[in-house]
């Protein structure tokens, strides 16, 4: 009897679990919180669309679609950070830079809200920093990516 006899012919041998660096886990948690927030925005926009009359129905639908795409995208980034995919660093940094731009916009204008601006900018800067920590770069390096 071979050492593989207790497994079905299609079963692959167990792959040893990789340890996830703490910085990677913190980045994943922050990205997951951002994704959850975006899903909340999507739900809020759907409720508003159903209960209030928008000034422009077309614009309301467009904003809902953009929020939905953003929620799906940030969710994918958060999930794939934990899967050690190499593309997540660029995706996470790009998303964080977009958030920083929005956060800076919240410091100025008629509807300025510096508190909300800081609440957006601080986690974004932290995630950008975490994406460049050597342990995160090693964990999400190209050699870790099993797909072509």
């Amino acid at each position: 009897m071979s050492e593989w006899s207790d497994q079905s012919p299609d079963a692959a041998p167990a792959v040893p679990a990789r340890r996830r660096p703490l910085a990677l886990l913190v980045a994943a948690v922050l990205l997951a919180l951002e994704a959850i927030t975006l899903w909340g925005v999507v739900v809020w926009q759907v409720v508003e669309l159903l209960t209030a009359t928008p000034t422009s129905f077309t614009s309301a639908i467009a904003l809902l679609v953009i929020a939905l795409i953003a929620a799906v995208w940030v969710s994918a980034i958060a999930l794939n950070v934990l899967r050690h995919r190499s593309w997540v660093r660029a995706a996470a940094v790009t998303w964080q830079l977009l958030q920083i731009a929005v956060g800076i916009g919240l410091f100025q204008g008629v509807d300025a809200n510096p508190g909300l601006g800081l609440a957006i900018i601080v986690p974004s800067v932290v995630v950008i920093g975490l994406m460049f920590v050597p342990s995160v770069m090693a964990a999400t390096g190209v050699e870790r990516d099993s797909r072509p």
Side-chain angles (χ1 to χ4, degrees), residues 8-139:
S8 68
D10 295 332
V15 177
R18 294 178 284 191
R19 287 189 44 86
R20 292 185 176 104
L22 179 60
L24 187 78
L25 292 174
V26 172
V29 167
L30 288 173
L31 286 162
L33 289 172
E34 291 172 1
I36 290 167
T37 302
L38 282 167
W39 284 110
V41 168
V42 168
V43 169
W44 174 73
Q45 286 183 333
V46 168
V47 169
E48 284 295 309
L49 192 60
L50 296 175
T51 60
T53 304
T55 305
S56 169
F57 187 75
T58 306
S59 294
I61 294 294
L63 287 172
L64 176 60
V65 169
I66 290 170
L68 183 61
I69 290 169
V72 169
W73 182 239
V74 176
S75 297
I77 296 169
L79 179 64
N80 283 289
V81 162
L82 295 175
R83 293 181 178 170
H84 299 251
R85 300 289 187 238
S86 61
W87 58 267
V88 296
R89 287 191 318 269
V93 169
T94 301
W95 176 250
Q96 301 313 315
L97 290 173
L98 288 171
Q99 287 194 132
I100 288 171
V102 170
I104 289 170
L106 286 168
F107 282 95
Q108 44 196 321
V110 178
D111 296 325
N113 189 339
L116 184 56
L118 279 176
I120 292 173
I121 291 173
V122 171
S124 296
V125 170
V126 170
V127 171
I128 289 173
L130 290 172
M131 290 294 115
F132 293 103
V133 170
S135 61
V136 172
M137 290 182 71

